[in-house]
Amino acid sequence: APTWTDVLPRRYKPPATESNPALEDPTPDYMNLLGMVFSMCGLMLKLKWCAWIAVYCSFISFANSRSSEDTKQMMSSFMLSISAVVMSYLQNPQPMSPPW
C-alpha cells in the first residue's frame, strides 16, 4: 500500500553536468565566438552584412544561454556587434546593396 510520502510531489533536480558532460550545450559559446568574429569583420572591413550577422549570432547566444552563466562576456559581444552595425552605418548611411 502506498504511504503518504509516495504521493507527495518531489522537487525536480537536474542531472549534474560534471558527471555527464554530454548535457553541456556548446551552442551559446560557439555563437558568442562567431558573433565576435563577425563583429570584428564588420568593424575592420566595414561590411554591413557581417555586422548584422554578428547581431544575429549574439541574439542566438543570449537565447540559448543558461541564467546561471556569466553575462559579462555575452553583453560585451552584444555591444560589440551593435557598435559594428552603428559604425558601419555611420561611415556609409546607404542601405545594404543586395549581393545579386
Side-chain angles (χ1 to χ4, degrees), residues 10-71:
R10 292 190 184 94
R11 184 179 297 271
Y12 173 74
K13 293 188 184 103
T17 56
E18 292 85 24
S19 62
N20 192 357
L23 294 175
E24 193 65 37
D25 187 21
T27 305
D29 298 329
Y30 288 144
M31 284 295 155
N32 208 352
L33 178 69
L34 209 58
M36 291 214 181
V37 168
F38 277 118
S39 297
M40 285 306 189
C41 287
L43 278 172
M44 304 286 186
L45 306 175
K46 300 179 184 44
L47 297 172
K48 292 179 185 174
W49 60 272
C50 276
W52 282 113
I53 291 175
V55 171
Y56 186 67
C57 287
S58 61
F59 273 127
I60 292 175
S61 173
F62 178 72
N64 287 321
S65 68
R66 297 188 176 195
S67 60
S68 60
E69 286 182 10
D70 186 29
T71 58

Short mmCIF file of all heavy atoms in Angstrom, two decimals, residues 10-71:
data_model
loop_
_atom_site.label_atom_id
_atom_site.label_comp_id
_atom_site.label_asym_id
_atom_site.label_seq_id
_atom_site.Cartn_x
_atom_site.Cartn_y
_atom_site.Cartn_z
N ARG A 10 7.68 15.72 -5.71
CA ARG A 10 9.11 15.84 -5.47
C ARG A 10 9.67 16.97 -6.33
O ARG A 10 9.30 17.13 -7.48
CB ARG A 10 9.82 14.54 -5.83
CG ARG A 10 9.46 13.41 -4.89
CD ARG A 10 10.35 12.20 -5.13
NE ARG A 10 9.93 11.12 -4.28
CZ ARG A 10 9.08 10.17 -4.66
NH1 ARG A 10 8.57 10.18 -5.86
NH2 ARG A 10 8.74 9.21 -3.82
N ARG A 11 10.60 17.72 -5.75
CA ARG A 11 11.24 18.81 -6.47
C ARG A 11 12.18 18.24 -7.53
O ARG A 11 12.93 17.30 -7.27
CB ARG A 11 12.01 19.69 -5.49
CG ARG A 11 12.64 20.92 -6.16
CD ARG A 11 13.36 21.76 -5.17
NE ARG A 11 12.48 22.32 -4.16
CZ ARG A 11 11.84 23.49 -4.30
NH1 ARG A 11 11.99 24.19 -5.39
NH2 ARG A 11 11.08 23.94 -3.33
N TYR A 12 12.13 18.84 -8.71
CA TYR A 12 12.98 18.39 -9.82
C TYR A 12 14.42 18.80 -9.56
O TYR A 12 14.71 19.94 -9.24
CB TYR A 12 12.50 18.98 -11.14
CG TYR A 12 13.42 18.69 -12.29
CD1 TYR A 12 13.48 17.42 -12.85
CD2 TYR A 12 14.23 19.67 -12.80
CE1 TYR A 12 14.33 17.14 -13.89
CE2 TYR A 12 15.10 19.40 -13.86
CZ TYR A 12 15.14 18.14 -14.39
OH TYR A 12 15.98 17.86 -15.43
N LYS A 13 15.32 17.84 -9.70
CA LYS A 13 16.75 18.11 -9.60
C LYS A 13 17.38 17.77 -10.94
O LYS A 13 17.35 16.61 -11.35
CB LYS A 13 17.37 17.26 -8.49
CG LYS A 13 16.91 17.62 -7.11
CD LYS A 13 17.72 16.85 -6.07
CE LYS A 13 17.19 17.14 -4.70
NZ LYS A 13 16.37 16.06 -4.16
N PRO A 14 17.94 18.78 -11.64
CA PRO A 14 18.57 18.45 -12.93
C PRO A 14 19.80 17.59 -12.72
O PRO A 14 20.47 17.70 -11.69
CB PRO A 14 18.94 19.82 -13.50
CG PRO A 14 19.00 20.73 -12.32
CD PRO A 14 18.04 20.18 -11.31
N PRO A 15 20.10 16.73 -13.67
CA PRO A 15 21.29 15.89 -13.53
C PRO A 15 22.56 16.74 -13.54
O PRO A 15 22.63 17.76 -14.20
CB PRO A 15 21.24 14.95 -14.73
CG PRO A 15 20.29 15.59 -15.68
CD PRO A 15 19.36 16.45 -14.88
N ALA A 16 23.54 16.30 -12.79
CA ALA A 16 24.79 17.05 -12.69
C ALA A 16 25.54 17.01 -14.01
O ALA A 16 25.68 15.95 -14.62
CB ALA A 16 25.65 16.47 -11.57
N THR A 17 26.02 18.17 -14.46
CA THR A 17 26.74 18.20 -15.73
C THR A 17 28.17 17.71 -15.58
O THR A 17 28.82 17.39 -16.55
CB THR A 17 26.75 19.63 -16.31
OG1 THR A 17 27.30 20.50 -15.33
CG2 THR A 17 25.36 20.07 -16.68
N GLU A 18 28.68 17.66 -14.34
CA GLU A 18 30.04 17.15 -14.14
C GLU A 18 30.10 15.66 -14.44
O GLU A 18 31.06 15.16 -14.99
CB GLU A 18 30.52 17.41 -12.71
CG GLU A 18 30.73 18.87 -12.38
CD GLU A 18 29.46 19.55 -11.93
OE1 GLU A 18 28.55 18.86 -11.45
OE2 GLU A 18 29.37 20.77 -12.08
N SER A 19 29.03 14.94 -14.04
CA SER A 19 29.04 13.50 -14.26
C SER A 19 28.71 13.16 -15.71
O SER A 19 29.12 12.12 -16.21
CB SER A 19 28.02 12.83 -13.33
OG SER A 19 26.71 13.31 -13.62
N ASN A 20 27.97 14.03 -16.40
CA ASN A 20 27.60 13.76 -17.79
C ASN A 20 27.90 15.00 -18.63
O ASN A 20 27.06 15.89 -18.76
CB ASN A 20 26.12 13.39 -17.86
CG ASN A 20 25.75 12.84 -19.22
OD1 ASN A 20 26.57 12.78 -20.12
ND2 ASN A 20 24.50 12.44 -19.37
N PRO A 21 29.09 15.11 -19.21
CA PRO A 21 29.43 16.31 -19.98
C PRO A 21 28.64 16.45 -21.28
O PRO A 21 28.67 17.49 -21.91
CB PRO A 21 30.92 16.16 -20.24
CG PRO A 21 31.21 14.72 -20.07
CD PRO A 21 30.18 14.17 -19.12
N ALA A 22 27.91 15.40 -21.69
CA ALA A 22 27.12 15.49 -22.92
C ALA A 22 25.93 16.42 -22.75
O ALA A 22 25.36 16.89 -23.73
CB ALA A 22 26.65 14.10 -23.33
N LEU A 23 25.54 16.70 -21.51
CA LEU A 23 24.41 17.59 -21.27
C LEU A 23 24.78 19.06 -21.45
O LEU A 23 23.91 19.91 -21.55
CB LEU A 23 23.86 17.39 -19.85
CG LEU A 23 23.23 16.04 -19.58
CD1 LEU A 23 22.86 15.92 -18.12
CD2 LEU A 23 22.01 15.85 -20.44
N GLU A 24 26.06 19.37 -21.48
CA GLU A 24 26.51 20.75 -21.64
C GLU A 24 26.33 21.17 -23.09
O GLU A 24 26.85 20.53 -24.00
CB GLU A 24 27.97 20.85 -21.23
CG GLU A 24 28.48 22.25 -21.05
CD GLU A 24 27.82 23.00 -19.91
OE1 GLU A 24 27.54 22.39 -18.87
OE2 GLU A 24 27.60 24.20 -20.07
N ASP A 25 25.60 22.26 -23.32
CA ASP A 25 25.30 22.71 -24.67
C ASP A 25 26.34 23.74 -25.12
O ASP A 25 26.46 24.80 -24.51
CB ASP A 25 23.90 23.33 -24.71
CG ASP A 25 23.47 23.65 -26.12
OD1 ASP A 25 24.04 23.06 -27.06
OD2 ASP A 25 22.56 24.49 -26.28
N PRO A 26 27.11 23.46 -26.17
CA PRO A 26 28.15 24.41 -26.60
C PRO A 26 27.64 25.52 -27.52
O PRO A 26 28.40 26.38 -27.91
CB PRO A 26 29.14 23.52 -27.33
CG PRO A 26 28.30 22.44 -27.90
CD PRO A 26 27.18 22.21 -26.91
N THR A 27 26.35 25.51 -27.87
CA THR A 27 25.83 26.49 -28.83
C THR A 27 26.05 27.94 -28.41
O THR A 27 26.50 28.74 -29.24
CB THR A 27 24.33 26.23 -29.08
OG1 THR A 27 24.16 24.89 -29.49
CG2 THR A 27 23.79 27.16 -30.15
N PRO A 28 25.76 28.35 -27.15
CA PRO A 28 26.00 29.76 -26.81
C PRO A 28 27.45 30.18 -26.95
O PRO A 28 27.72 31.31 -27.39
CB PRO A 28 25.55 29.86 -25.34
CG PRO A 28 24.68 28.70 -25.10
CD PRO A 28 25.12 27.64 -26.05
N ASP A 29 28.38 29.29 -26.61
CA ASP A 29 29.80 29.64 -26.72
C ASP A 29 30.22 29.80 -28.18
O ASP A 29 30.94 30.75 -28.52
CB ASP A 29 30.66 28.56 -26.05
CG ASP A 29 30.37 28.45 -24.57
OD1 ASP A 29 30.01 29.48 -23.97
OD2 ASP A 29 30.50 27.34 -24.03
N TYR A 30 29.75 28.89 -29.03
CA TYR A 30 30.08 28.99 -30.45
C TYR A 30 29.48 30.25 -31.06
O TYR A 30 30.13 30.93 -31.84
CB TYR A 30 29.58 27.76 -31.21
CG TYR A 30 30.36 26.51 -30.94
CD1 TYR A 30 29.74 25.28 -30.88
CD2 TYR A 30 31.74 26.55 -30.74
CE1 TYR A 30 30.45 24.12 -30.64
CE2 TYR A 30 32.46 25.42 -30.50
CZ TYR A 30 31.82 24.20 -30.45
OH TYR A 30 32.52 23.07 -30.20
N MET A 31 28.24 30.54 -30.72
CA MET A 31 27.59 31.74 -31.27
C MET A 31 28.25 33.01 -30.75
O MET A 31 28.33 34.01 -31.47
CB MET A 31 26.10 31.74 -30.94
CG MET A 31 25.32 30.78 -31.78
SD MET A 31 25.36 31.29 -33.49
CE MET A 31 25.10 29.77 -34.32
N ASN A 32 28.71 32.97 -29.51
CA ASN A 32 29.40 34.12 -28.95
C ASN A 32 30.71 34.38 -29.71
O ASN A 32 31.01 35.52 -30.09
CB ASN A 32 29.68 33.86 -27.47
CG ASN A 32 29.75 35.12 -26.66
OD1 ASN A 32 29.73 36.21 -27.19
ND2 ASN A 32 29.84 34.96 -25.36
N LEU A 33 31.46 33.32 -29.94
CA LEU A 33 32.71 33.44 -30.69
C LEU A 33 32.46 33.89 -32.12
O LEU A 33 33.14 34.78 -32.64
CB LEU A 33 33.45 32.10 -30.67
CG LEU A 33 34.76 32.07 -31.44
CD1 LEU A 33 35.80 32.94 -30.75
CD2 LEU A 33 35.25 30.65 -31.57
N LEU A 34 31.45 33.29 -32.75
CA LEU A 34 31.11 33.65 -34.13
C LEU A 34 30.67 35.11 -34.21
O LEU A 34 31.03 35.82 -35.16
CB LEU A 34 30.01 32.72 -34.62
CG LEU A 34 29.94 32.41 -36.09
CD1 LEU A 34 31.24 31.79 -36.55
CD2 LEU A 34 28.79 31.48 -36.36
N GLY A 35 29.90 35.55 -33.22
CA GLY A 35 29.46 36.94 -33.19
C GLY A 35 30.63 37.90 -33.06
O GLY A 35 30.64 38.96 -33.70
N MET A 36 31.61 37.54 -32.24
CA MET A 36 32.77 38.41 -32.10
C MET A 36 33.60 38.46 -33.38
O MET A 36 34.10 39.53 -33.76
CB MET A 36 33.64 37.95 -30.93
CG MET A 36 32.97 38.17 -29.60
SD MET A 36 34.15 38.57 -28.35
CE MET A 36 33.10 38.73 -26.94
N VAL A 37 33.73 37.32 -34.06
CA VAL A 37 34.47 37.30 -35.32
C VAL A 37 33.77 38.17 -36.36
O VAL A 37 34.41 38.99 -37.04
CB VAL A 37 34.64 35.84 -35.81
CG1 VAL A 37 35.13 35.80 -37.24
CG2 VAL A 37 35.58 35.09 -34.91
N PHE A 38 32.46 38.00 -36.49
CA PHE A 38 31.72 38.80 -37.47
C PHE A 38 31.71 40.29 -37.09
O PHE A 38 31.71 41.15 -37.96
CB PHE A 38 30.29 38.29 -37.62
CG PHE A 38 30.18 37.12 -38.56
CD1 PHE A 38 29.73 35.90 -38.12
CD2 PHE A 38 30.51 37.26 -39.89
CE1 PHE A 38 29.62 34.83 -38.98
CE2 PHE A 38 30.41 36.19 -40.77
CZ PHE A 38 29.97 34.98 -40.32
N SER A 39 31.69 40.59 -35.78
CA SER A 39 31.76 41.99 -35.36
C SER A 39 33.07 42.62 -35.78
O SER A 39 33.10 43.76 -36.27
CB SER A 39 31.63 42.10 -33.84
OG SER A 39 30.41 41.63 -33.39
N MET A 40 34.15 41.89 -35.59
CA MET A 40 35.45 42.42 -35.99
C MET A 40 35.54 42.59 -37.49
O MET A 40 36.09 43.58 -37.97
CB MET A 40 36.57 41.49 -35.49
CG MET A 40 36.80 41.61 -34.02
SD MET A 40 37.09 43.34 -33.61
CE MET A 40 37.59 43.22 -31.96
N CYS A 41 34.98 41.64 -38.24
CA CYS A 41 34.96 41.81 -39.70
C CYS A 41 34.12 43.01 -40.10
O CYS A 41 34.48 43.75 -41.01
CB CYS A 41 34.41 40.55 -40.37
SG CYS A 41 35.52 39.17 -40.34
N GLY A 42 32.98 43.20 -39.40
CA GLY A 42 32.13 44.35 -39.71
C GLY A 42 32.82 45.66 -39.36
O GLY A 42 32.68 46.65 -40.10
N LEU A 43 33.56 45.68 -38.27
CA LEU A 43 34.25 46.91 -37.88
C LEU A 43 35.46 47.19 -38.76
O LEU A 43 35.65 48.32 -39.22
CB LEU A 43 34.69 46.82 -36.41
CG LEU A 43 33.65 47.14 -35.36
CD1 LEU A 43 34.19 46.82 -33.98
CD2 LEU A 43 33.23 48.59 -35.44
N MET A 44 36.28 46.19 -38.98
CA MET A 44 37.53 46.41 -39.71
C MET A 44 37.31 46.56 -41.21
O MET A 44 37.90 47.42 -41.85
CB MET A 44 38.50 45.25 -39.47
CG MET A 44 38.79 44.98 -38.03
SD MET A 44 39.88 46.22 -37.35
CE MET A 44 40.18 45.55 -35.75
N LEU A 45 36.48 45.69 -41.78
CA LEU A 45 36.29 45.68 -43.23
C LEU A 45 35.09 46.51 -43.67
O LEU A 45 34.83 46.61 -44.87
CB LEU A 45 36.13 44.24 -43.72
CG LEU A 45 37.25 43.28 -43.30
CD1 LEU A 45 36.92 41.87 -43.73
CD2 LEU A 45 38.56 43.73 -43.88
N LYS A 46 34.35 47.05 -42.70
CA LYS A 46 33.18 47.89 -42.96
C LYS A 46 32.15 47.16 -43.81
O LYS A 46 31.57 47.71 -44.75
CB LYS A 46 33.59 49.21 -43.61
CG LYS A 46 34.53 49.98 -42.70
CD LYS A 46 34.99 51.27 -43.26
CE LYS A 46 35.99 51.95 -42.34
NZ LYS A 46 37.01 51.10 -41.77
N LEU A 47 31.93 45.90 -43.48
CA LEU A 47 30.92 45.09 -44.16
C LEU A 47 29.66 45.07 -43.31
O LEU A 47 29.67 44.59 -42.17
CB LEU A 47 31.43 43.66 -44.37
CG LEU A 47 32.66 43.50 -45.26
CD1 LEU A 47 33.16 42.08 -45.21
CD2 LEU A 47 32.31 43.90 -46.68
N LYS A 48 28.59 45.60 -43.86
CA LYS A 48 27.35 45.71 -43.08
C LYS A 48 26.74 44.34 -42.81
O LYS A 48 26.20 44.11 -41.73
CB LYS A 48 26.35 46.60 -43.82
CG LYS A 48 26.78 48.03 -43.87
CD LYS A 48 25.77 48.85 -44.63
CE LYS A 48 26.29 50.26 -44.77
NZ LYS A 48 25.45 51.07 -45.61
N TRP A 49 26.83 43.44 -43.78
CA TRP A 49 26.23 42.13 -43.56
C TRP A 49 26.94 41.36 -42.46
O TRP A 49 26.32 40.59 -41.73
CB TRP A 49 26.17 41.33 -44.87
CG TRP A 49 27.48 41.08 -45.52
CD1 TRP A 49 28.13 41.87 -46.41
CD2 TRP A 49 28.33 39.94 -45.30
NE1 TRP A 49 29.32 41.30 -46.77
CE2 TRP A 49 29.48 40.12 -46.12
CE3 TRP A 49 28.23 38.79 -44.51
CZ2 TRP A 49 30.51 39.20 -46.16
CZ3 TRP A 49 29.26 37.88 -44.55
CH2 TRP A 49 30.38 38.08 -45.37
N CYS A 50 28.24 41.57 -42.31
CA CYS A 50 28.97 40.94 -41.21
C CYS A 50 28.48 41.47 -39.86
O CYS A 50 28.32 40.71 -38.91
CB CYS A 50 30.47 41.20 -41.33
SG CYS A 50 31.31 40.08 -42.42
N ALA A 51 28.24 42.78 -39.81
CA ALA A 51 27.77 43.37 -38.56
C ALA A 51 26.38 42.85 -38.20
O ALA A 51 26.09 42.56 -37.03
CB ALA A 51 27.76 44.89 -38.69
N TRP A 52 25.51 42.70 -39.20
CA TRP A 52 24.17 42.19 -38.92
C TRP A 52 24.19 40.72 -38.52
O TRP A 52 23.42 40.29 -37.66
CB TRP A 52 23.25 42.41 -40.12
CG TRP A 52 22.78 43.82 -40.23
CD1 TRP A 52 23.09 44.71 -41.20
CD2 TRP A 52 21.91 44.51 -39.32
NE1 TRP A 52 22.48 45.90 -40.96
CE2 TRP A 52 21.75 45.82 -39.81
CE3 TRP A 52 21.27 44.15 -38.14
CZ2 TRP A 52 20.97 46.76 -39.16
CZ3 TRP A 52 20.49 45.10 -37.49
CH2 TRP A 52 20.34 46.38 -38.01
N ILE A 53 25.08 39.94 -39.12
CA ILE A 53 25.21 38.54 -38.72
C ILE A 53 25.73 38.45 -37.28
O ILE A 53 25.32 37.58 -36.52
CB ILE A 53 26.12 37.78 -39.71
CG1 ILE A 53 25.42 37.64 -41.05
CG2 ILE A 53 26.50 36.41 -39.18
CD1 ILE A 53 26.27 37.02 -42.13
N ALA A 54 26.60 39.39 -36.91
CA ALA A 54 27.10 39.41 -35.53
C ALA A 54 25.98 39.69 -34.54
O ALA A 54 25.92 39.08 -33.48
CB ALA A 54 28.20 40.47 -35.40
N VAL A 55 25.08 40.61 -34.89
CA VAL A 55 23.92 40.88 -34.02
C VAL A 55 23.06 39.63 -33.91
O VAL A 55 22.61 39.25 -32.82
CB VAL A 55 23.10 42.07 -34.56
CG1 VAL A 55 21.81 42.23 -33.80
CG2 VAL A 55 23.91 43.35 -34.47
N TYR A 56 22.83 38.97 -35.02
CA TYR A 56 22.03 37.75 -35.05
C TYR A 56 22.67 36.65 -34.19
O TYR A 56 21.99 35.99 -33.40
CB TYR A 56 21.90 37.29 -36.50
CG TYR A 56 20.99 36.12 -36.73
CD1 TYR A 56 19.62 36.22 -36.51
CD2 TYR A 56 21.50 34.91 -37.17
CE1 TYR A 56 18.79 35.14 -36.72
CE2 TYR A 56 20.67 33.83 -37.39
CZ TYR A 56 19.32 33.95 -37.16
OH TYR A 56 18.50 32.88 -37.36
N CYS A 57 23.99 36.49 -34.30
CA CYS A 57 24.69 35.48 -33.50
C CYS A 57 24.63 35.80 -32.01
O CYS A 57 24.48 34.90 -31.18
CB CYS A 57 26.15 35.38 -33.94
SG CYS A 57 26.39 34.56 -35.51
N SER A 58 24.73 37.07 -31.67
CA SER A 58 24.68 37.41 -30.25
C SER A 58 23.28 37.20 -29.68
O SER A 58 23.14 36.81 -28.52
CB SER A 58 25.15 38.85 -30.02
OG SER A 58 24.34 39.75 -30.68
N PHE A 59 22.25 37.41 -30.49
CA PHE A 59 20.89 37.10 -30.02
C PHE A 59 20.72 35.60 -29.82
O PHE A 59 20.09 35.17 -28.84
CB PHE A 59 19.84 37.60 -31.01
CG PHE A 59 19.44 39.02 -30.77
CD1 PHE A 59 19.48 39.94 -31.79
CD2 PHE A 59 19.01 39.44 -29.52
CE1 PHE A 59 19.11 41.25 -31.58
CE2 PHE A 59 18.63 40.75 -29.30
CZ PHE A 59 18.68 41.65 -30.33
N ILE A 60 21.25 34.79 -30.72
CA ILE A 60 21.16 33.33 -30.57
C ILE A 60 21.92 32.88 -29.32
O ILE A 60 21.46 32.03 -28.56
CB ILE A 60 21.69 32.63 -31.83
CG1 ILE A 60 20.78 32.89 -32.99
CG2 ILE A 60 21.83 31.13 -31.59
CD1 ILE A 60 21.29 32.34 -34.30
N SER A 61 23.09 33.48 -29.10
CA SER A 61 23.88 33.14 -27.92
C SER A 61 23.12 33.49 -26.64
O SER A 61 23.11 32.73 -25.68
CB SER A 61 25.20 33.88 -27.97
OG SER A 61 25.91 33.71 -26.78
N PHE A 62 22.47 34.65 -26.65
CA PHE A 62 21.70 35.06 -25.47
C PHE A 62 20.50 34.15 -25.25
O PHE A 62 20.19 33.78 -24.12
CB PHE A 62 21.23 36.51 -25.65
CG PHE A 62 20.38 37.00 -24.52
CD1 PHE A 62 20.93 37.26 -23.28
CD2 PHE A 62 19.03 37.20 -24.69
CE1 PHE A 62 20.15 37.70 -22.24
CE2 PHE A 62 18.24 37.64 -23.66
CZ PHE A 62 18.80 37.89 -22.43
N ALA A 63 19.84 33.76 -26.33
CA ALA A 63 18.64 32.92 -26.21
C ALA A 63 18.96 31.51 -25.74
O ALA A 63 18.16 30.89 -25.04
CB ALA A 63 17.92 32.87 -27.55
N ASN A 64 20.13 31.00 -26.08
CA ASN A 64 20.49 29.63 -25.71
C ASN A 64 21.30 29.52 -24.43
O ASN A 64 21.65 28.42 -24.03
CB ASN A 64 21.28 28.97 -26.84
CG ASN A 64 20.39 28.63 -28.01
OD1 ASN A 64 19.27 28.21 -27.84
ND2 ASN A 64 20.91 28.85 -29.20
N SER A 65 21.62 30.64 -23.81
CA SER A 65 22.45 30.58 -22.61
C SER A 65 21.61 30.25 -21.39
O SER A 65 20.39 30.42 -21.38
CB SER A 65 23.16 31.91 -22.40
OG SER A 65 22.21 32.89 -22.06
N ARG A 66 22.29 29.78 -20.37
CA ARG A 66 21.61 29.50 -19.11
C ARG A 66 21.66 30.72 -18.22
O ARG A 66 22.56 31.55 -18.34
CB ARG A 66 22.28 28.33 -18.40
CG ARG A 66 22.18 27.07 -19.20
CD ARG A 66 22.68 25.91 -18.40
NE ARG A 66 22.47 24.68 -19.17
CZ ARG A 66 22.55 23.50 -18.64
NH1 ARG A 66 22.85 23.36 -17.38
NH2 ARG A 66 22.34 22.44 -19.38
N SER A 67 20.72 30.83 -17.32
CA SER A 67 20.68 32.00 -16.44
C SER A 67 21.82 32.00 -15.44
O SER A 67 22.18 33.04 -14.90
CB SER A 67 19.34 32.05 -15.71
OG SER A 67 19.18 30.89 -14.92
N SER A 68 22.41 30.83 -15.20
CA SER A 68 23.50 30.75 -14.23
C SER A 68 24.83 31.18 -14.82
O SER A 68 25.80 31.37 -14.09
CB SER A 68 23.61 29.33 -13.69
OG SER A 68 23.86 28.44 -14.75
N GLU A 69 24.89 31.32 -16.15
CA GLU A 69 26.16 31.67 -16.79
C GLU A 69 26.51 33.13 -16.55
O GLU A 69 25.65 33.96 -16.27
CB GLU A 69 26.09 31.41 -18.29
CG GLU A 69 26.13 29.94 -18.65
CD GLU A 69 26.11 29.72 -20.15
OE1 GLU A 69 26.26 30.70 -20.88
OE2 GLU A 69 25.94 28.58 -20.55
N ASP A 70 27.79 33.43 -16.72
CA ASP A 70 28.27 34.79 -16.59
C ASP A 70 27.82 35.60 -17.80
O ASP A 70 28.06 35.21 -18.93
CB ASP A 70 29.79 34.79 -16.48
CG ASP A 70 30.34 36.17 -16.18
OD1 ASP A 70 29.61 36.95 -15.54
OD2 ASP A 70 31.47 36.45 -16.58
N THR A 71 27.18 36.74 -17.55
CA THR A 71 26.62 37.51 -18.65
C THR A 71 27.56 38.60 -19.16
O THR A 71 27.24 39.26 -20.14
CB THR A 71 25.30 38.17 -18.21
OG1 THR A 71 25.55 38.99 -17.07
CG2 THR A 71 24.26 37.12 -17.88
#
